[in-house]
Amino acid sequence: MSDPQDWTPATADPGNRRPSRDRVVAGLKATDEGGPDLVQMLTPEGERVGDPRFDSYAADVDVEGLQNLYRDMVLVRRFDREANALQRQGQLGIWVPLLGQEAAQIGAGRAMQPQDMAFPSYREHGVAFTRGIDPTELLGIFRGTDHGSWDPAATGFHLYTIVIGNQCLNATGYAMGQKFESKVGDGPDAEATICFFGDGATSQGDVHEGFVWAAVYDAPVVFYCQNNQWAISEPTERQTRVPLYRRAQGYGFPGIRVDGNDVLACLAVTRWALEECRTGNGPVLVEAFTYRMDAHTTSDDPTRYRLADELELWKLKDPIERVRVNLVREHGVEPEFFDGVAAEADELAARFRQYCVDMPTPGPERLFSEVYAEHSPTLDAQREAFLAYQASFDT
């Protein structure tokens, strides 16, 4: 971690807070490996390395299990890239790419039990996939036709949260309810909550309020921070003086940093964290140390604030490639498997695209149809007035 004071030395012009190229590169060199506390089980070169603390939490992942994780990541990346293209072609209003964060999301999502609950931000397409939500169900949000079409109770996956960090309050409250209702313990039906947010959200008050309440009430919630190094155009070094996982110490619960590009380590660490919460030892903060390979959203241009050599450095740590290499070198998996996954991904992308293009445009009456769960005379009056106004143009 670079010294945060280096960004604004005493002799600096107070009107010029932009770091020089040399300082940016120095900061990258200090942080690109995640530090000595990083939990890693698959190196960027695809080598399986042991970790006595967490090996038991991935002991059931055999060759077939690793192939399934690989398949998950490839399919998620493929429909993510298709959505990006659809936005550029005017079919979506905006898209939030997850490129580079597949391992962090698939590992955490596959660690959950059916009875667990997830609270996402707006980038957790991979987690949604692991909860049985078809990728096409995400399109309405970004096409502007709905706020999410899945059932959070049935899927254990809350609707996307657009307000930065607000889901931490929602997740903490839900987890407190799990404890109050005696759903925490040693039984097989014990529950936990996991909340997903980015490094930028850690600068929001909602996140810290969630930390406080979760700590005071021993809420069974895993705070899962995907540190992708950039909060839109602000690097992590501009947001914190210490590694993000260490912030948990100030609230009195454990924090751990995992290689967010290592799907096996993310799976194992999240399984451990969720188990801690289910048995009453929560909360836990997990910092998945990863990288956003694309723009923050399709309205963002990352070339304006970060260097090309930074991107090239992280390409060498691609989360999908390291699993592919491990499957080939250590398990002798044949090319036919990878070809089959690629073909399945293309089929998903084609179905995803066709669904998006064929989506009907809701009529203006939709403004009133999803506001309240129960009947509202005031809303009814507004709808009738609107329909009368609309009809006046037809006569």
Side-chain angles (χ1 to χ4, degrees), residues 182-248:
S182 301
K183 295 180 178 179
V184 178
D186 295 325
D189 296 328
E191 299 181 8
T193 295
I194 183 168
C195 178
F196 295 90
F197 54 97
D199 50 294
T202 65
S203 295
Q204 295 292 328
D206 286 5
V207 175
H208 297 275
E209 290 176 27
F211 287 0
V212 170
W213 282 85
V216 169
Y217 285 93
D218 299 323
V221 55
V222 176
F223 294 106
Y224 193 90
C225 175
Q226 294 175 81
N227 179 2
N228 63 22
Q229 313 304 316
W230 288 94
I232 307 183
S233 59
E234 289 297 309
T236 306
E237 289 83 0
R238 293 291 297 270
Q239 301 178 74
T240 180
R241 288 178 174 265
V242 299
L244 294 177
Y245 73 99
R246 291 186 185 173
R247 287 186 168 183

Coordinates of all heavy atoms in Angstrom, one line a residue, residues 182-248:
S182 N -34.0 -16.3 15.6 CA -33.3 -17.6 16.0 C -33.0 -18.4 14.8 O -33.1 -19.7 14.8 CB -34.2 -18.4 17.0 OG -34.4 -17.6 18.1
K183 N -32.6 -17.8 13.7 CA -32.2 -18.5 12.5 C -30.7 -18.7 12.4 O -30.1 -19.2 11.4 CB -32.7 -17.8 11.2 CG -34.2 -17.8 11.1 CD -34.7 -17.1 9.9 CE -36.2 -17.1 9.8 NZ -36.7 -16.4 8.6
V184 N -30.0 -18.4 13.5 CA -28.5 -18.5 13.6 C -28.2 -19.6 14.6 O -28.8 -19.7 15.7 CB -27.9 -17.2 14.0 CG1 -26.4 -17.4 14.1 CG2 -28.2 -16.1 13.0
G185 N -27.3 -20.5 14.2 CA -26.9 -21.6 15.1 C -26.1 -22.7 14.4 O -25.5 -22.4 13.4
D186 N -26.1 -23.9 15.0 CA -25.3 -25.0 14.4 C -26.1 -25.9 13.5 O -25.5 -26.8 12.9 CB -24.8 -25.8 15.6 CG -23.8 -25.0 16.5 OD1 -23.1 -24.2 15.9 OD2 -23.8 -25.3 17.7
G187 N -27.4 -25.7 13.3 CA -28.2 -26.6 12.5 C -28.0 -26.4 11.0 O -27.4 -25.4 10.6
P188 N -28.4 -27.4 10.2 CA -28.2 -27.3 8.8 C -29.0 -26.2 8.1 O -28.8 -25.8 7.0 CB -28.7 -28.7 8.3 CG -29.6 -29.2 9.4 CD -29.1 -28.6 10.6
D189 N -30.1 -25.7 8.8 CA -30.9 -24.7 8.3 C -30.5 -23.3 8.7 O -31.2 -22.3 8.4 CB -32.4 -24.9 8.6 CG -32.9 -26.2 8.0 OD1 -32.5 -26.6 6.9 OD2 -33.7 -26.9 8.7
A190 N -29.4 -23.1 9.4 CA -28.9 -21.8 9.9 C -28.7 -20.9 8.7 O -28.3 -21.4 7.6 CB -27.7 -22.0 10.7
E191 N -29.0 -19.6 8.9 CA -28.9 -18.7 7.8 C -27.8 -17.6 8.0 O -27.4 -17.4 9.1 CB -30.2 -18.0 7.6 CG -31.4 -18.9 7.3 CD -32.7 -18.1 7.1 OE1 -32.6 -16.8 7.1 OE2 -33.8 -18.7 7.0
A192 N -27.4 -17.0 6.9 CA -26.5 -15.9 6.9 C -26.8 -15.0 5.8 O -27.6 -15.3 4.8 CB -25.1 -16.3 6.8
T193 N -26.3 -13.8 5.8 CA -26.5 -12.7 4.8 C -25.2 -12.3 4.3 O -24.2 -12.3 5.0 CB -27.3 -11.5 5.4 OG1 -28.6 -11.9 5.8 CG2 -27.4 -10.4 4.4
I194 N -25.1 -12.0 3.0 CA -23.9 -11.5 2.4 C -24.2 -10.2 1.6 O -25.2 -10.2 0.9 CB -23.2 -12.5 1.5 CG1 -21.9 -12.0 1.0 CG2 -24.1 -13.0 0.4 CD1 -21.0 -13.0 0.3
C195 N -23.4 -9.2 1.8 CA -23.7 -7.9 1.2 C -22.5 -7.6 0.3 O -21.3 -7.6 0.7 CB -23.8 -6.8 2.3 SG -24.1 -5.2 1.6
F196 N -22.8 -7.2 -1.0 CA -21.7 -6.9 -1.9 C -21.6 -5.4 -2.2 O -22.7 -4.8 -2.4 CB -22.0 -7.6 -3.3 CG -22.0 -9.1 -3.2 CD1 -23.1 -9.9 -2.9 CD2 -20.8 -9.8 -3.4 CE1 -23.1 -11.2 -2.8 CE2 -20.7 -11.2 -3.3 CZ -21.9 -11.9 -3.0
F197 N -20.4 -4.9 -2.2 CA -20.2 -3.5 -2.5 C -18.8 -3.3 -3.0 O -17.9 -4.3 -2.9 CB -20.5 -2.6 -1.3 CG -19.7 -3.0 0.0 CD1 -18.5 -2.4 0.3 CD2 -20.2 -4.0 0.8 CE1 -17.8 -2.7 1.4 CE2 -19.5 -4.4 2.0 CZ -18.3 -3.7 2.3
G198 N -18.5 -2.2 -3.5 CA -17.1 -1.9 -4.0 C -16.3 -1.1 -3.1 O -16.8 -0.6 -2.1
D199 N -15.0 -0.9 -3.5 CA -14.1 -0.1 -2.7 C -14.6 1.4 -2.6 O -14.5 2.0 -1.5 CB -12.7 -0.1 -3.2 CG -12.7 0.2 -4.7 OD1 -13.2 -0.6 -5.5 OD2 -12.1 1.2 -5.1
G200 N -15.2 1.9 -3.6 CA -15.7 3.2 -3.5 C -16.8 3.4 -2.5 O -16.9 4.5 -1.9
A201 N -17.6 2.4 -2.3 CA -18.7 2.4 -1.3 C -18.2 2.6 0.1 O -18.9 3.1 1.0 CB -19.6 1.2 -1.4
T202 N -17.0 2.1 0.3 CA -16.4 2.3 1.7 C -16.2 3.7 2.1 O -15.9 3.9 3.3 CB -15.1 1.5 1.8 OG1 -14.1 2.1 1.0 CG2 -15.2 0.0 1.4
S203 N -16.3 4.6 1.2 CA -16.3 6.0 1.6 C -17.6 6.6 1.9 O -17.7 7.8 2.1 CB -15.6 6.8 0.4 OG -14.3 6.4 0.2
Q204 N -18.7 5.8 1.8 CA -20.0 6.2 2.1 C -20.4 5.9 3.5 O -20.1 4.9 4.1 CB -21.0 5.5 1.1 CG -20.8 5.9 -0.3 CD -21.2 7.3 -0.6 OE1 -22.1 7.9 0.0 NE2 -20.5 7.9 -1.6
G205 N -21.2 6.8 4.1 CA -21.6 6.6 5.5 C -22.4 5.4 5.7 O -22.4 4.8 6.8
D206 N -23.3 5.1 4.8 CA -24.2 3.9 4.9 C -23.4 2.6 5.2 O -23.8 1.8 6.0 CB -25.0 3.7 3.6 CG -26.1 4.7 3.4 OD1 -26.1 5.7 4.3 OD2 -26.8 4.6 2.5
V207 N -22.2 2.5 4.6 CA -21.4 1.2 4.8 C -21.0 1.2 6.3 O -21.1 0.2 7.0 CB -20.2 1.2 3.9 CG1 -19.3 0.0 4.2 CG2 -20.7 1.1 2.4
H208 N -20.5 2.3 6.8 CA -20.0 2.3 8.1 C -21.1 2.2 9.2 O -20.9 1.6 10.2 CB -19.1 3.6 8.4 CG -17.9 3.6 7.5 ND1 -16.7 2.9 7.8 CD2 -17.7 4.1 6.2 CE1 -15.9 3.1 6.8 NE2 -16.4 3.8 5.9
E209 N -22.2 2.8 8.9 CA -23.4 2.6 9.8 C -23.8 1.1 9.8 O -24.1 0.6 10.9 CB -24.5 3.4 9.3 CG -24.3 4.9 9.5 CD -25.5 5.7 8.9 OE1 -26.6 5.2 8.9 OE2 -25.3 6.9 8.5
G210 N -23.7 0.5 8.7 CA -24.0 -1.0 8.7 C -23.0 -1.7 9.5 O -23.3 -2.7 10.2
F211 N -21.7 -1.4 9.4 CA -20.6 -2.0 10.2 C -21.0 -1.9 11.7 O -20.8 -2.8 12.5 CB -19.3 -1.4 9.9 CG -18.7 -1.8 8.6 CD1 -19.3 -2.6 7.7 CD2 -17.4 -1.2 8.3 CE1 -18.7 -2.9 6.5 CE2 -16.8 -1.6 7.0 CZ -17.5 -2.4 6.2
V212 N -21.3 -0.6 12.1 CA -21.6 -0.4 13.5 C -22.8 -1.2 14.0 O -22.6 -1.9 15.1 CB -21.9 1.1 13.7 CG1 -22.4 1.3 15.2 CG2 -20.7 2.0 13.5
W213 N -23.9 -1.2 13.3 CA -25.0 -2.0 13.8 C -24.8 -3.5 13.8 O -25.2 -4.2 14.7 CB -26.2 -1.6 12.9 CG -26.9 -0.3 13.3 CD1 -26.5 0.9 12.9 CD2 -27.9 -0.1 14.2 NE1 -27.2 1.9 13.5 CE2 -28.1 1.3 14.3 CE3 -28.7 -0.9 15.0 CZ2 -29.1 1.9 15.1 CZ3 -29.7 -0.4 15.8 CH2 -29.9 1.0 15.8
A214 N -24.1 -3.9 12.7 CA -23.8 -5.4 12.6 C -22.9 -5.8 13.8 O -23.1 -6.9 14.4 CB -23.1 -5.7 11.3
A215 N -21.9 -5.0 14.1 CA -21.0 -5.3 15.2 C -21.8 -5.3 16.6 O -21.6 -6.3 17.4 CB -19.9 -4.4 15.3
V216 N -22.6 -4.3 16.8 CA -23.3 -4.2 18.1 C -24.3 -5.4 18.3 O -24.4 -5.9 19.4 CB -24.0 -2.9 18.2 CG1 -25.0 -2.9 19.3 CG2 -23.0 -1.7 18.2
Y217 N -24.9 -5.8 17.2 CA -25.9 -6.9 17.3 C -25.4 -8.3 16.9 O -26.2 -9.2 16.8 CB -27.1 -6.5 16.5 CG -28.0 -5.4 17.2 CD1 -27.8 -4.1 16.9 CD2 -29.0 -5.8 18.1 CE1 -28.5 -3.1 17.5 CE2 -29.7 -4.8 18.7 CZ -29.5 -3.5 18.5 OH -30.3 -2.5 19.1
D218 N -24.1 -8.4 16.7 CA -23.5 -9.7 16.2 C -24.3 -10.2 15.0 O -24.6 -11.4 15.0 CB -23.5 -10.7 17.4 CG -22.6 -10.2 18.5 OD1 -21.6 -9.6 18.3 OD2 -23.0 -10.5 19.7
A219 N -24.6 -9.4 14.1 CA -25.5 -9.8 13.0 C -24.7 -10.8 12.1 O -23.5 -10.6 11.8 CB -25.9 -8.6 12.2
P220 N -25.4 -11.8 11.6 CA -24.7 -12.8 10.7 C -24.6 -12.3 9.3 O -25.2 -12.9 8.4 CB -25.7 -14.0 10.8 CG -27.0 -13.4 11.0 CD -26.8 -12.2 11.9
V221 N -23.8 -11.3 9.1 CA -23.7 -10.7 7.8 C -22.2 -10.7 7.3 O -21.3 -10.3 8.1 CB -24.3 -9.3 7.7 CG1 -23.7 -8.4 8.8 CG2 -24.1 -8.7 6.3
V222 N -21.9 -11.2 6.1 CA -20.6 -11.0 5.5 C -20.6 -9.8 4.6 O -21.4 -9.7 3.7 CB -20.3 -12.3 4.7 CG1 -18.9 -12.1 3.9 CG2 -20.3 -13.5 5.5
F223 N -19.8 -8.9 5.0 CA -19.6 -7.7 4.1 C -18.5 -8.0 3.1 O -17.3 -8.2 3.4 CB -19.1 -6.5 5.0 CG -20.2 -6.0 6.0 CD1 -20.1 -6.3 7.3 CD2 -21.3 -5.3 5.5 CE1 -21.0 -5.8 8.2 CE2 -22.3 -4.9 6.4 CZ -22.1 -5.1 7.8
Y224 N -18.9 -8.1 1.9 CA -18.0 -8.6 0.8 C -17.7 -7.4 -0.1 O -18.5 -7.0 -1.0 CB -18.7 -9.7 0.0 CG -17.8 -10.5 -0.9 CD1 -17.2 -11.7 -0.4 CD2 -17.6 -10.2 -2.2 CE1 -16.4 -12.4 -1.3 CE2 -16.8 -10.9 -3.1 CZ -16.2 -12.0 -2.6 OH -15.4 -12.8 -3.4
C225 N -16.5 -6.9 0.1 CA -16.0 -5.7 -0.7 C -15.2 -6.2 -1.8 O -14.1 -6.8 -1.7 CB -15.2 -4.8 0.2 SG -14.5 -3.4 -0.6
Q226 N -15.7 -5.9 -3.0 CA -14.9 -6.1 -4.2 C -14.0 -4.9 -4.5 O -14.5 -3.9 -5.1 CB -15.8 -6.5 -5.4 CG -16.6 -7.8 -5.3 CD -17.5 -8.0 -6.4 OE1 -17.2 -8.4 -7.5 NE2 -18.8 -7.6 -6.2
N227 N -12.8 -5.0 -4.1 CA -11.9 -3.9 -4.3 C -11.3 -4.0 -5.7 O -10.3 -4.7 -5.9 CB -10.8 -3.9 -3.2 CG -9.8 -2.8 -3.4 OD1 -9.9 -1.9 -4.3 ND2 -8.7 -2.8 -2.6
N228 N -11.9 -3.3 -6.6 CA -11.4 -3.4 -8.0 C -10.5 -2.2 -8.3 O -10.3 -1.9 -9.5 CB -12.6 -3.4 -9.0 CG -13.5 -2.2 -9.0 OD1 -13.1 -1.1 -8.5 ND2 -14.7 -2.3 -9.4
Q229 N -10.0 -1.6 -7.3 CA -8.9 -0.6 -7.4 C -9.3 0.8 -7.8 O -8.6 1.8 -7.6 CB -7.8 -1.0 -8.3 CG -7.3 -2.4 -8.1 CD -6.8 -2.7 -6.7 OE1 -6.1 -1.9 -6.1 NE2 -7.2 -3.8 -6.1
W230 N -10.6 1.0 -8.3 CA -11.0 2.3 -8.8 C -12.4 2.5 -8.4 O -13.3 1.8 -8.8 CB -10.8 2.4 -10.3 CG -9.4 2.5 -10.7 CD1 -8.6 1.5 -11.2 CD2 -8.6 3.7 -10.8 NE1 -7.3 2.0 -11.5 CE2 -7.3 3.3 -11.3 CE3 -8.8 5.0 -10.5 CZ2 -6.3 4.2 -11.4 CZ3 -7.8 5.9 -10.7 CH2 -6.5 5.5 -11.1
A231 N -12.7 3.6 -7.7 CA -14.1 4.1 -7.5 C -14.4 5.1 -8.5 O -14.1 6.3 -8.4 CB -14.2 4.7 -6.1
I232 N -14.9 4.7 -9.7 CA -14.9 5.5 -10.9 C -13.5 6.0 -11.2 O -12.7 5.2 -11.6 CB -16.0 6.6 -10.8 CG1 -17.4 6.0 -10.4 CG2 -16.1 7.3 -12.2 CD1 -18.5 7.1 -10.4
S233 N -13.2 7.2 -11.0 CA -11.9 7.7 -11.3 C -11.0 7.9 -10.2 O -9.9 8.5 -10.3 CB -12.1 9.1 -12.1 OG -12.7 10.0 -11.2
E234 N -11.4 7.5 -9.0 CA -10.5 7.7 -7.8 C -9.9 6.3 -7.4 O -10.6 5.3 -7.1 CB -11.4 8.2 -6.6 CG -11.8 9.6 -6.8 CD -10.7 10.6 -6.8 OE1 -9.8 10.5 -5.9 OE2 -10.6 11.4 -7.7
P235 N -8.5 6.3 -7.3 CA -7.9 5.0 -6.9 C -8.1 4.8 -5.4 O -8.4 5.7 -4.6 CB -6.4 5.3 -7.2 CG -6.3 6.8 -7.1 CD -7.6 7.3 -7.6
T236 N -7.9 3.5 -5.0 CA -8.1 3.1 -3.6 C -7.2 4.0 -2.7 O -7.6 4.3 -1.6 CB -7.8 1.6 -3.4 OG1 -8.6 0.9 -4.3 CG2 -8.1 1.2 -2.0
E237 N -6.0 4.3 -3.1 CA -5.1 5.0 -2.3 C -5.6 6.4 -1.9 O -5.1 7.0 -0.9 CB -3.7 5.2 -3.0 CG -2.9 3.9 -3.1 CD -3.4 3.1 -4.3 OE1 -4.3 3.5 -5.0 OE2 -2.8 2.0 -4.5
R238 N -6.5 6.9 -2.7 CA -7.1 8.2 -2.3 C -8.3 8.1 -1.4 O -8.9 9.1 -1.0 CB -7.6 8.9 -3.6 CG -6.5 9.3 -4.6 CD -5.7 10.5 -4.1 NE -6.4 11.7 -3.9 CZ -6.6 12.6 -4.8 NH1 -6.1 12.5 -6.0 NH2 -7.3 13.7 -4.6
Q239 N -8.6 6.9 -1.0 CA -9.8 6.7 -0.2 C -9.5 6.1 1.2 O -10.3 6.2 2.1 CB -10.7 5.6 -0.8 CG -11.2 6.0 -2.2 CD -12.1 5.0 -2.8 OE1 -13.3 4.8 -2.3 NE2 -11.6 4.2 -3.7
T240 N -8.3 5.6 1.4 CA -8.0 4.9 2.7 C -6.5 5.0 3.0 O -5.7 5.0 2.1 CB -8.5 3.5 2.7 OG1 -8.2 2.9 4.0 CG2 -7.8 2.7 1.6
R241 N -6.2 5.1 4.3 CA -4.8 5.0 4.7 C -4.3 3.6 5.0 O -3.1 3.3 5.2 CB -4.6 5.9 6.0 CG -4.6 7.4 5.7 CD -4.5 8.1 7.1 NE -4.4 9.6 6.8 CZ -3.3 10.2 6.7 NH1 -2.1 9.6 6.8 NH2 -3.3 11.5 6.5
V242 N -5.2 2.7 5.1 CA -4.9 1.3 5.4 C -5.6 0.4 4.5 O -6.6 0.8 3.8 CB -5.3 0.9 6.9 CG1 -4.6 1.8 7.9 CG2 -6.8 1.0 7.1
P243 N -5.2 -0.9 4.3 CA -5.9 -1.8 3.5 C -7.3 -1.9 4.0 O -7.6 -1.9 5.2 CB -5.1 -3.1 3.6 CG -3.7 -2.7 3.9 CD -3.9 -1.5 4.8
L244 N -8.3 -2.1 3.1 CA -9.7 -2.0 3.4 C -10.1 -3.1 4.4 O -10.9 -2.8 5.3 CB -10.6 -2.1 2.2 CG -10.4 -0.9 1.2 CD1 -11.3 -1.2 -0.1 CD2 -10.8 0.4 1.8
Y245 N -9.5 -4.3 4.3 CA -9.9 -5.4 5.2 C -9.6 -5.0 6.7 O -10.2 -5.6 7.6 CB -9.3 -6.7 4.8 CG -7.8 -6.8 5.0 CD1 -7.4 -7.5 6.2 CD2 -6.9 -6.3 4.2 CE1 -6.0 -7.7 6.4 CE2 -5.6 -6.5 4.4 CZ -5.1 -7.2 5.5 OH -3.8 -7.3 5.8
R246 N -8.6 -4.2 6.9 CA -8.2 -3.9 8.2 C -9.2 -2.9 8.9 O -9.1 -2.8 10.2 CB -6.8 -3.2 8.2 CG -5.7 -4.2 7.9 CD -4.3 -3.5 8.0 NE -3.2 -4.3 7.6 CZ -2.0 -3.9 7.5 NH1 -1.7 -2.7 7.9 NH2 -1.0 -4.8 7.1
R247 N -10.0 -2.3 8.2 CA -11.0 -1.4 8.8 C -11.9 -2.2 9.7 O -12.5 -1.6 10.6 CB -11.8 -0.7 7.7 CG -11.1 0.3 6.9 CD -12.0 1.1 6.0 NE -11.3 2.3 5.5 CZ -11.9 3.2 4.7 NH1 -13.2 3.0 4.3 NH2 -11.3 4.2 4.3
A248 N -12.1 -3.5 9.5 CA -13.0 -4.3 10.4 C -12.5 -4.3 11.8 O -13.3 -4.3 12.7 CB -13.0 -5.7 9.9

